[in-house]
Each structure stands twice: as C-alpha cells, then as structure tokens.
Amino acid sequence: MSKSKFYITTPIYYVNDKPHIGHAYTTIIADVFARFWREKFGDENVFFLTGTDEHGSKVEKSADEAGLPPKDFTDKVVKDYVEVWKLLNISNDEFIRTTDPRHEKVVQIFLQDLYDKGQIYKGTYKGLYCIECERFYTKDETNSGYCVLHPKIKLTEQEEENYFFKLRDFSQKILQALERDGYLVLPPERKNEIIGKIKQGINNISISRAAVQWGIPLPWDKSQTIYVWIDALLNYYSATKIFPDREKFWPASLHLMAKDILWFHALIWEALLLANGIELPKIVYAHGFFTIDGQKMSKSFGNAIDPKELVGEYGVDGTRYLLLTAFSFGSDGDISLSKFKEKYNADLANGIGNLVSRLAKLCENIEIQDKPRNKGFSAEIEKCFSKFKPDEAIKFIWSDIKRLDEDLASDAPWTLTNGEKGKIIPNYIERILSIASNLRPFLPETSEKIINIFSQKKISKPEPLFLRKPQ
Ligand code: MSP
C-alpha cells in the first residue's frame, strides 16, 4: 500500500430499499479506516468513497411497485442513504451515484475500449437468474433451483442474445496476480476460496441485457443496456475521473465489502481492469456476514433494522460501538439485539462514561502543572490497523479503560490531600487522553468530548457521556 495516499471504498448499495444495519456495518468500518489514515497521512491524502447502485432489474421492479419512474424512485431512496450516513457521522469525501451522467459516460468509454480491443463478443446466454443477486447461476450453484443467498427466490430460466466479456482468457493472469500478491484478497482464507474457485474453471460473462430498460445503453448497440454489476464495479474507477482532484488516488488501496459479493470484486473487477490495461487495486477485503438472532436479515423476514432506530436508542457513538463490536471483523456472526442494552450499559455508560466522570470529578479544584498533551495512536493500535483488525484495536482500548479503572480503585486518590493528588493526577490524565486519541476513528464525538474535558485549565465534572439505560 502506498504510504502517501489511501483510497478506500464501500460497496455501492442497491437503492431498491432503504439502508439497514448491514449496510451501516460496512460503512462504519470503512469510516474507521478512513479516519485512521487521515490522522496518519493528512486529509488531502485520503479519499473515502461510498454511494449507490441505481440501475438494473431489481431497482426497476421496486420503482414499479412504488408507482414511480425509476429515476424519481432512486432520487427518493438515495436521500435516505445520504441522511443516514450523515447521522452516523460517516466522513465520506464523495458520494457516487451510478445514475450520474458523468459516471455513465466513463462506463461507456470503458466498455467501448474493451469492445475495440476485441475483449467483447456477441453470444446467447441461457441460465438461471436471481433478481436479488442480479446474476446468473448454473444449476449446480443453486439449491434445487432456489437461490442459495435468497432461499425464498426460485430462479427463473432466462435466455437472450447479449454481449460477453472474455473473462476466461484472464483466469491465468488473475491466478498469477493472486498467488504473487499482485493484489491482496483478505482475510487469507478468502483468497484461497477464490483461487480454488478459479481453478475449477470459469466461464465468460454476459455484460449486457436486452430485456432490461433501466440501465446505461451499450455505446455500440443501444438496444442493450450494460449489466448492472459491470456498471457498478466501475464506480470505483469513475469516481477518480469525475470528482475533482481524485485521479491521483487510482489504484484503490482498499475495497471493503462482505463476502457475498467477493467474487465480483476479487475476480471480475480485476479481469476488466487487466483487459483495459489499468492498474489493479491493492487490497480487496471481505468481512463476514451477520444474522439477526440467527436469521438472515431481510425485508421479507421483517427483521431489517433501520440504523436510525439504533441511533434513537443508543446515540451515534453508541450505535457505532455496538455494531463495531458485535462480532469479530472478518468472520461471520450473529447479532442479538437484546444484548445491546446490557453491552451499552457495561461498556459505555459504566465503562468509559463512568471512568471519565470519576476522573473529571477528581480533577476538580486541583492545580495541575504541565498538563500532558494528547498524542497520536498507541503502537498497539497502529499494529491492529496494519493487520486490518479494527475490532482488536477496540478491545485493546477497552482493556486500557479497565486497567485505568482498576488503578484508580487501588490507588484510591480521593483519600489523598489536594497536594498529593496533584502529583499523581497528571498520569491519569495522560492515560485518559491516550484512550481518547485511540478512540478517535471509532467514536469521534466521544473522543473529542473527552479531549475537551481534560484539556481545560479548570477541569470539571461533565454531563454523562452515555446515559445508563434502565434494564
Ligand atoms: N450493489 C451491490 C454492490 C455493488 S459494489 C460495486 C450490492 N449491494 S447491497 O445493497 O446488496 O450491499 C451488499 C453489501 O452490504 C455487503 O457486501 C455488505 O457490505 C453489506 N451488508 C449487507 N448486509 C449485511 C450483513 N447482514 N452482514 C454484513 N454485511 C452486510 O451488493
């Protein structure tokens, strides 16, 4: 990874429905990385992109059900995304929409280049299509004709004449790049999965649709629209072309997503870039997928949780904390919402919140010479980030909080005279400021509040950072 710039992306989310906490999880993690790297490289050297995937049959169908023209429908749902990212304090530098005419133009130019290079040909496709995944499957990849990822969806057989990209021609090059870490697929077990799958053999993929109206027309055959996944993947590249001063950020440093869409990001994306002679991204990271109380989260199960609900209950930083620590980053997990309250009380209200109150109270009326200044990140935190383990970084911060709590209990400074207190308190302040600095990427508002409290000339007990919830 380049030491001087950092370009991080989230998937661009489908606008067939409003955002849920699955989308929020990936976006919060990306925000944590972006904030961490901004501290290290400076704001101008970090580019954090998120956005929305707005074309294709799935969105077209939802617009139809809502009785709106597709563009009006997407304009409406996009507002929910923009609003919820703002609410969650997501610091994306740009927000890309695939219906942005500037993006559409880049996509058309990219595909025309591929066509001119002979990488695209016309053929007939016959296969089983899942509208939720927006992709074809072979019979073997289904569960007796039902989608593995969407068990309620019976796949429909579709046959049409469309254009194909010669994906198969790139399998060897991709394998070599993967095996020599030309780009990294992380965590390592995911890389092995991808290698295994490529070795089983891959087929060329169709890159256009004759039957879908809601999409970008193919530049050389306007009767077809560009397959929504090709259009979507290209957002990572088009963003560097359409937003001012972003060209220097290509190649992307880190594409973040869950494992459900890794195949597109770890193979198809790179093959498209190779075919057009464009540098490959550095890292593709697929984190795990979480269920809610053991169930897949979806609109049809009625368990898709709106991040706004969580913010209403636990506040912005409370929500960020609870989602970030809900399960181990990189693995699959289950979230039990009933445990959130207990965790909020234990780690936030009683944990960091209580510690800050006690410490600030202790500092009231004490003269402190040479107040320590807060520093950058602890070495431990840096190490966790370099290993892509943000959840371990949080665990480290909470073990620091616990240690400081225990030291306060055993030192019992409230039994000392003011003069004696003045000697040991600077060390506590240094430690709480270090905790606050480490917290900055994760809980930005809380971190700032703590730094403010302990940087005052006269420290006084603040309002509680996190109000305790009745059980
Ligand atoms: N539009 C495509 C992505 C195109 S990117 C070029 C898409 N969109 S999506 O709205 O379905 O978002 C999928 C992504 O949302 C996952 O890869 C993951 O980042 C996030 N998640 C959605 N549900 C999630 C969980 N239950 N658990 C973890 N991540 C979740 O696919």
Side-chain angles (χ1 to χ4, degrees):
M1 192 179 311
S2 157
K3 280 278 173 249
S4 55
K5 64 175 180 64
F6 191 77
Y7 173 23
I8 179 164
T9 67
T10 71
I12 49 170
Y13 304 107
Y14 287 127
V15 288
N16 61 313
D17 201 4
K18 52 185 190 164
H20 59 57
I21 59 171
H23 308 125
Y25 177 77
T26 310
T27 311
I28 292 171
I29 298 257
D31 184 62
V32 167
F33 276 111
R35 288 176 183 272
F36 174 81
W37 290 108
R38 283 198 195 102
E39 301 257 337
K40 305 215 45 86
F41 295 161
D43 293 358
E44 67 288 5
N45 292 319
V46 175
F47 178 25
F48 170 20
L49 179 74
T50 188
T52 40
D53 191 354
E54 304 187 19
H55 291 125
S57 38
K58 173 149 88 171
V59 173
E60 194 174 34
K61 183 166 162 259
S62 298
D64 203 43
E65 284 163 5
L68 288 171
K71 183 62 170 52
D72 293 0
F73 176 74
T74 62
D75 285 349
K76 194 164 155 258
V77 183
V78 163
K79 283 198 191 116
D80 290 330
Y81 275 92
V82 172
E83 195 191 309
V84 87
W85 297 156
K86 203 163 165 212
L87 179 69
L88 284 168
N89 211 350
I90 301 299
S91 63
N92 54 299
D93 297 295
E94 300 287 358
F95 186 101
I96 192 164
R97 299 182 57 182
T98 52
T99 50
D100 183 327
R102 297 170 299 172
H103 163 80
E104 295 181 343
K105 184 113 205 92
V106 175
V107 173
Q108 285 186 319
I109 293 172
F110 189 97
L111 284 191
Q112 183 70 55
D113 279 354
L114 281 185
Y115 188 63
D116 295 345
K117 287 182 177 128
Q119 305 288 11
I120 287 174
Y121 65 96
K122 203 168 187 180
T124 304
Y125 202 97
K126 198 171 163 192
L128 294 163
Y129 198 75
C130 171
I131 185 171
E132 282 299 316
C133 299
E134 288 279 20
R135 60 168 287 194
F136 281 106
Y137 288 101
T138 61
K139 211 170 187 141
D140 298 348
E141 288 172 321
T142 69
N143 189 359
S144 312
Y146 284 84
C147 176
V148 177
L149 294 177
H150 304 98
K152 286 191 174 169
I153 296 198
K154 185 158 174 43
L155 305 189
T156 48
E157 182 131 298
Q158 286 189 9
E159 180 176 353
E160 63 175 37
E161 198 171 58
N162 43 40
Y163 290 89
F164 285 74
F165 167 56
K166 296 179 180 169
L167 181 64
R168 204 185 301 124
D169 286 2
F170 292 90
S171 24
Q172 281 317 309
K173 273 196 179 165
I174 295 277
L175 268 181
Q176 277 170 10
L178 271 171
E179 277 162 353
R180 292 181 199 154
D181 291 339
Y183 64 103
L184 293 176
V185 173
L186 293 172
E189 58 273 22
R190 301 264 182 246
K191 167 175 147 176
N192 295 335
E193 271 169 36
I194 296 289
I195 291 180
K197 218 169 150 190
I198 298 174
K199 283 187 174 161
Q200 281 171 17
I202 50 176
N203 293 320
N204 292 337
I205 56 156
S206 123
I207 53 109
S208 69
R209 294 283 178 273
V212 178
Q213 306 296 312
W214 180 234
I216 307 173
L218 264 185
W220 63 89
D221 180 352
K222 303 263 183 330
S223 71
Q224 304 236 348
T225 55
I226 294 167
Y227 174 36
V228 61
W229 260 104
I230 305 294
D231 166 4
L233 286 166
L234 276 161
N235 91 87
Y236 303 131
Y237 177 68
S238 72
T240 65
K241 300 271 173 203
I242 69 174
F243 297 120
D245 303 324
R246 300 295 182 190
E247 207 134 7
K248 69 169 180 177
F249 285 98
W250 192 261
S253 317
L254 178 59
H255 291 313
L256 188 67
M257 79 229 54
K259 63 176 193 185
D260 56 333
I261 54 176
L262 179 62
W263 183 243
F264 289 97
H265 284 83
L267 170 79
I268 297 171
W269 179 219
E270 286 71 17
L272 287 167
L273 292 169
L274 280 176
N276 248 348
I278 297 172
E279 217 180 320
L280 299 184
K282 299 292 176 205
I283 300 172
V284 174
Y285 194 110
H287 62 70
F289 220 75
F290 64 81
T291 46
I292 299 284
D293 295 319
Q295 268 199 329
K296 187 174 163 23
M297 192 172 25
S298 85
K299 206 174 155 188
S300 49
F301 283 130
N303 63 351
I305 294 149
D306 185 338
K308 278 195 253 173
E309 276 175 40
L310 282 187
V311 173
E313 188 65 21
Y314 300 111
V316 174
D317 278 359
T319 301
R320 288 173 68 106
Y321 179 78
L322 292 170
L323 286 180
L324 284 166
T325 57
F327 65 104
S328 167
F329 181 63
S331 319
D332 287 344
D334 184 55
I335 292 188
S336 165
L337 289 181
S338 56
K339 296 210 180 105
F340 271 12
K341 196 197 276 181
E342 204 181 305
K343 194 156 190 219
Y344 169 94
N345 278 339
D347 296 357
L348 298 173
N350 296 347
I352 182 80
N354 197 21
L355 173 67
V356 165
S357 296
R358 282 166 74 202
L359 206 51
K361 175 101 190 80
L362 197 65
C363 297
E364 280 179 336
N365 308 320
I366 305 283
E367 270 302 310
I368 300 155
Q369 308 293 327
D370 298 331
K371 193 151 323 135
R373 297 206 56 80
N374 64 309
K375 308 178 207 84
F377 299 115
S378 308
E380 197 63 38
I381 297 292
E382 302 247 358
K383 204 161 107 202
C384 293
F385 273 93
S386 70
K387 290 192 295 178
F388 295 93
K389 303 244 183 247
D391 53 332
E392 283 186 11
I394 305 196
K395 274 196 202 130
F396 171 81
I397 300 170
W398 256 261
S399 65
D400 246 4
I401 291 171
K402 192 161 169 252
R403 229 171 294 137
L404 182 49
D405 244 344
E406 287 166 357
D407 288 353
L408 268 177
S410 69
D411 294 352
W414 45 89
T415 60
L416 305 176
T417 64
N418 274 3
E420 286 166 332
K421 278 187 202 163
K423 284 188 199 130
I424 60 166
I425 281 176
N427 173 260
Y428 298 144
I429 296 181
E430 185 164 335
R431 287 169 66 185
I432 194 78
L433 286 176
S434 158
I435 288 168
S437 298
N438 289 336
L439 265 184
R440 209 176 274 155
F442 301 99
L443 311 186
E445 271 178 18
T446 306
S447 159
E448 201 181 316
K449 280 186 194 161
I450 301 174
I451 291 171
N452 251 327
I453 295 165
F454 291 97
S455 308
Q456 301 303 322
K457 270 217 156 79
K458 260 189 134 359
I459 296 173
S460 52
K461 191 171 172 217
E463 294 284 300
L465 291 179
F466 297 96
L467 282 175
R468 218 189 125 72
K469 304 254 163 223
Q471 284 297 340

PDB file of all heavy atoms in Angstrom, residues 217-232:
ATOM      1  N   PRO A 217     -27.108   2.524 -21.790  1.00  0.00           N
ATOM      2  CA  PRO A 217     -27.081   1.843 -23.087  1.00  0.00           C
ATOM      3  C   PRO A 217     -25.649   1.479 -23.492  1.00  0.00           C
ATOM      4  O   PRO A 217     -24.710   2.221 -23.193  1.00  0.00           O
ATOM      5  CB  PRO A 217     -27.651   2.884 -24.060  1.00  0.00           C
ATOM      6  CG  PRO A 217     -28.276   3.935 -23.220  1.00  0.00           C
ATOM      7  CD  PRO A 217     -27.632   3.892 -21.873  1.00  0.00           C
ATOM      8  N   LEU A 218     -25.507   0.317 -24.151  1.00  0.00           N
ATOM      9  CA  LEU A 218     -24.186  -0.049 -24.688  1.00  0.00           C
ATOM     10  C   LEU A 218     -23.851   0.942 -25.792  1.00  0.00           C
ATOM     11  O   LEU A 218     -24.698   1.196 -26.652  1.00  0.00           O
ATOM     12  CB  LEU A 218     -24.267  -1.439 -25.313  1.00  0.00           C
ATOM     13  CG  LEU A 218     -23.861  -2.641 -24.506  1.00  0.00           C
ATOM     14  CD1 LEU A 218     -23.910  -3.875 -25.397  1.00  0.00           C
ATOM     15  CD2 LEU A 218     -22.468  -2.482 -23.915  1.00  0.00           C
ATOM     16  N   PRO A 219     -22.651   1.476 -25.826  1.00  0.00           N
ATOM     17  CA  PRO A 219     -22.387   2.529 -26.809  1.00  0.00           C
ATOM     18  C   PRO A 219     -22.495   2.061 -28.267  1.00  0.00           C
ATOM     19  O   PRO A 219     -22.921   2.825 -29.125  1.00  0.00           O
ATOM     20  CB  PRO A 219     -20.959   2.986 -26.486  1.00  0.00           C
ATOM     21  CG  PRO A 219     -20.402   2.038 -25.495  1.00  0.00           C
ATOM     22  CD  PRO A 219     -21.538   1.285 -24.891  1.00  0.00           C
ATOM     23  N   TRP A 220     -22.178   0.785 -28.538  1.00  0.00           N
ATOM     24  CA  TRP A 220     -22.197   0.342 -29.943  1.00  0.00           C
ATOM     25  C   TRP A 220     -23.491  -0.386 -30.321  1.00  0.00           C
ATOM     26  O   TRP A 220     -23.687  -0.760 -31.466  1.00  0.00           O
ATOM     27  CB  TRP A 220     -20.991  -0.561 -30.247  1.00  0.00           C
ATOM     28  CG  TRP A 220     -21.010  -1.829 -29.452  1.00  0.00           C
ATOM     29  CD1 TRP A 220     -21.611  -2.999 -29.813  1.00  0.00           C
ATOM     30  CD2 TRP A 220     -20.441  -2.051 -28.168  1.00  0.00           C
ATOM     31  NE1 TRP A 220     -21.445  -3.930 -28.815  1.00  0.00           N
ATOM     32  CE2 TRP A 220     -20.725  -3.379 -27.797  1.00  0.00           C
ATOM     33  CE3 TRP A 220     -19.716  -1.258 -27.273  1.00  0.00           C
ATOM     34  CZ2 TRP A 220     -20.307  -3.916 -26.581  1.00  0.00           C
ATOM     35  CZ3 TRP A 220     -19.300  -1.810 -26.066  1.00  0.00           C
ATOM     36  CH2 TRP A 220     -19.595  -3.122 -25.744  1.00  0.00           C
ATOM     37  N   ASP A 221     -24.343  -0.647 -29.342  1.00  0.00           N
ATOM     38  CA  ASP A 221     -25.611  -1.306 -29.629  1.00  0.00           C
ATOM     39  C   ASP A 221     -26.631  -0.829 -28.602  1.00  0.00           C
ATOM     40  O   ASP A 221     -26.794  -1.418 -27.532  1.00  0.00           O
ATOM     41  CB  ASP A 221     -25.437  -2.841 -29.569  1.00  0.00           C
ATOM     42  CG  ASP A 221     -26.745  -3.574 -29.871  1.00  0.00           C
ATOM     43  OD1 ASP A 221     -27.795  -2.902 -29.962  1.00  0.00           O
ATOM     44  OD2 ASP A 221     -26.712  -4.803 -29.996  1.00  0.00           O
ATOM     45  N   LYS A 222     -27.321   0.240 -28.959  1.00  0.00           N
ATOM     46  CA  LYS A 222     -28.197   0.904 -27.979  1.00  0.00           C
ATOM     47  C   LYS A 222     -29.443   0.083 -27.625  1.00  0.00           C
ATOM     48  O   LYS A 222     -30.216   0.476 -26.761  1.00  0.00           O
ATOM     49  CB  LYS A 222     -28.615   2.289 -28.513  1.00  0.00           C
ATOM     50  CG  LYS A 222     -27.442   3.218 -28.856  1.00  0.00           C
ATOM     51  CD  LYS A 222     -27.158   4.154 -27.728  1.00  0.00           C
ATOM     52  CE  LYS A 222     -26.086   5.195 -27.915  1.00  0.00           C
ATOM     53  NZ  LYS A 222     -24.941   5.009 -28.759  1.00  0.00           N
ATOM     54  N   SER A 223     -29.593  -1.070 -28.299  1.00  0.00           N
ATOM     55  CA  SER A 223     -30.763  -1.886 -27.953  1.00  0.00           C
ATOM     56  C   SER A 223     -30.512  -2.664 -26.657  1.00  0.00           C
ATOM     57  O   SER A 223     -31.402  -3.306 -26.126  1.00  0.00           O
ATOM     58  CB  SER A 223     -31.085  -2.866 -29.086  1.00  0.00           C
ATOM     59  OG  SER A 223     -30.095  -3.878 -29.143  1.00  0.00           O
ATOM     60  N   GLN A 224     -29.278  -2.632 -26.161  1.00  0.00           N
ATOM     61  CA  GLN A 224     -28.952  -3.370 -24.933  1.00  0.00           C
ATOM     62  C   GLN A 224     -28.454  -2.397 -23.852  1.00  0.00           C
ATOM     63  O   GLN A 224     -27.832  -1.379 -24.171  1.00  0.00           O
ATOM     64  CB  GLN A 224     -27.815  -4.357 -25.216  1.00  0.00           C
ATOM     65  CG  GLN A 224     -28.112  -5.316 -26.330  1.00  0.00           C
ATOM     66  CD  GLN A 224     -27.990  -6.775 -25.903  1.00  0.00           C
ATOM     67  OE1 GLN A 224     -27.472  -7.091 -24.846  1.00  0.00           O
ATOM     68  NE2 GLN A 224     -28.508  -7.660 -26.722  1.00  0.00           N
ATOM     69  N   THR A 225     -28.711  -2.750 -22.610  1.00  0.00           N
ATOM     70  CA  THR A 225     -28.155  -1.938 -21.516  1.00  0.00           C
ATOM     71  C   THR A 225     -27.009  -2.715 -20.855  1.00  0.00           C
ATOM     72  O   THR A 225     -26.952  -3.945 -20.933  1.00  0.00           O
ATOM     73  CB  THR A 225     -29.212  -1.598 -20.440  1.00  0.00           C
ATOM     74  OG1 THR A 225     -29.786  -2.807 -19.968  1.00  0.00           O
ATOM     75  CG2 THR A 225     -30.277  -0.662 -20.970  1.00  0.00           C
ATOM     76  N   ILE A 226     -26.142  -1.974 -20.214  1.00  0.00           N
ATOM     77  CA  ILE A 226     -24.958  -2.583 -19.583  1.00  0.00           C
ATOM     78  C   ILE A 226     -25.395  -3.310 -18.308  1.00  0.00           C
ATOM     79  O   ILE A 226     -26.174  -2.766 -17.507  1.00  0.00           O
ATOM     80  CB  ILE A 226     -23.898  -1.488 -19.298  1.00  0.00           C
ATOM     81  CG1 ILE A 226     -23.400  -0.932 -20.643  1.00  0.00           C
ATOM     82  CG2 ILE A 226     -22.744  -2.031 -18.461  1.00  0.00           C
ATOM     83  CD1 ILE A 226     -22.607   0.346 -20.558  1.00  0.00           C
ATOM     84  N   TYR A 227     -24.901  -4.513 -18.145  1.00  0.00           N
ATOM     85  CA  TYR A 227     -25.213  -5.331 -16.958  1.00  0.00           C
ATOM     86  C   TYR A 227     -24.874  -4.522 -15.704  1.00  0.00           C
ATOM     87  O   TYR A 227     -23.791  -3.949 -15.590  1.00  0.00           O
ATOM     88  CB  TYR A 227     -24.398  -6.621 -17.051  1.00  0.00           C
ATOM     89  CG  TYR A 227     -24.457  -7.537 -15.860  1.00  0.00           C
ATOM     90  CD1 TYR A 227     -25.626  -7.709 -15.112  1.00  0.00           C
ATOM     91  CD2 TYR A 227     -23.335  -8.271 -15.491  1.00  0.00           C
ATOM     92  CE1 TYR A 227     -25.663  -8.571 -14.032  1.00  0.00           C
ATOM     93  CE2 TYR A 227     -23.359  -9.144 -14.416  1.00  0.00           C
ATOM     94  CZ  TYR A 227     -24.534  -9.278 -13.683  1.00  0.00           C
ATOM     95  OH  TYR A 227     -24.549 -10.128 -12.607  1.00  0.00           O
ATOM     96  N   VAL A 228     -25.822  -4.520 -14.763  1.00  0.00           N
ATOM     97  CA  VAL A 228     -25.724  -3.644 -13.597  1.00  0.00           C
ATOM     98  C   VAL A 228     -24.424  -3.851 -12.788  1.00  0.00           C
ATOM     99  O   VAL A 228     -23.862  -2.891 -12.253  1.00  0.00           O
ATOM    100  CB  VAL A 228     -26.985  -3.780 -12.704  1.00  0.00           C
ATOM    101  CG1 VAL A 228     -27.152  -5.202 -12.193  1.00  0.00           C
ATOM    102  CG2 VAL A 228     -26.967  -2.808 -11.555  1.00  0.00           C
ATOM    103  N   TRP A 229     -23.905  -5.081 -12.756  1.00  0.00           N
ATOM    104  CA  TRP A 229     -22.688  -5.306 -11.963  1.00  0.00           C
ATOM    105  C   TRP A 229     -21.454  -4.666 -12.609  1.00  0.00           C
ATOM    106  O   TRP A 229     -20.548  -4.205 -11.914  1.00  0.00           O
ATOM    107  CB  TRP A 229     -22.452  -6.809 -11.728  1.00  0.00           C
ATOM    108  CG  TRP A 229     -22.918  -7.195 -10.361  1.00  0.00           C
ATOM    109  CD1 TRP A 229     -24.057  -7.874 -10.047  1.00  0.00           C
ATOM    110  CD2 TRP A 229     -22.258  -6.893  -9.122  1.00  0.00           C
ATOM    111  NE1 TRP A 229     -24.148  -8.007  -8.684  1.00  0.00           N
ATOM    112  CE2 TRP A 229     -23.060  -7.429  -8.089  1.00  0.00           C
ATOM    113  CE3 TRP A 229     -21.085  -6.226  -8.779  1.00  0.00           C
ATOM    114  CZ2 TRP A 229     -22.721  -7.313  -6.743  1.00  0.00           C
ATOM    115  CZ3 TRP A 229     -20.748  -6.120  -7.443  1.00  0.00           C
ATOM    116  CH2 TRP A 229     -21.558  -6.659  -6.446  1.00  0.00           C
ATOM    117  N   ILE A 230     -21.430  -4.637 -13.937  1.00  0.00           N
ATOM    118  CA  ILE A 230     -20.276  -4.031 -14.631  1.00  0.00           C
ATOM    119  C   ILE A 230     -20.322  -2.517 -14.398  1.00  0.00           C
ATOM    120  O   ILE A 230     -19.323  -1.879 -14.041  1.00  0.00           O
ATOM    121  CB  ILE A 230     -20.328  -4.358 -16.148  1.00  0.00           C
ATOM    122  CG1 ILE A 230     -20.410  -5.874 -16.379  1.00  0.00           C
ATOM    123  CG2 ILE A 230     -19.156  -3.724 -16.895  1.00  0.00           C
ATOM    124  CD1 ILE A 230     -19.207  -6.675 -15.967  1.00  0.00           C
ATOM    125  N   ASP A 231     -21.513  -1.968 -14.575  1.00  0.00           N
ATOM    126  CA  ASP A 231     -21.776  -0.549 -14.322  1.00  0.00           C
ATOM    127  C   ASP A 231     -21.345  -0.201 -12.886  1.00  0.00           C
ATOM    128  O   ASP A 231     -20.620   0.778 -12.634  1.00  0.00           O
ATOM    129  CB  ASP A 231     -23.286  -0.362 -14.568  1.00  0.00           C
ATOM    130  CG  ASP A 231     -23.904   0.925 -14.081  1.00  0.00           C
ATOM    131  OD1 ASP A 231     -23.171   1.782 -13.582  1.00  0.00           O
ATOM    132  OD2 ASP A 231     -25.141   1.069 -14.210  1.00  0.00           O
ATOM    133  N   ALA A 232     -21.741  -1.069 -11.930  1.00  0.00           N
ATOM    134  CA  ALA A 232     -21.487  -0.777 -10.512  1.00  0.00           C
ATOM    135  C   ALA A 232     -19.999  -0.854 -10.170  1.00  0.00           C
ATOM    136  O   ALA A 232     -19.455   0.040  -9.512  1.00  0.00           O
ATOM    137  CB  ALA A 232     -22.278  -1.754  -9.651  1.00  0.00           C
TER     138      ALA A 232
END
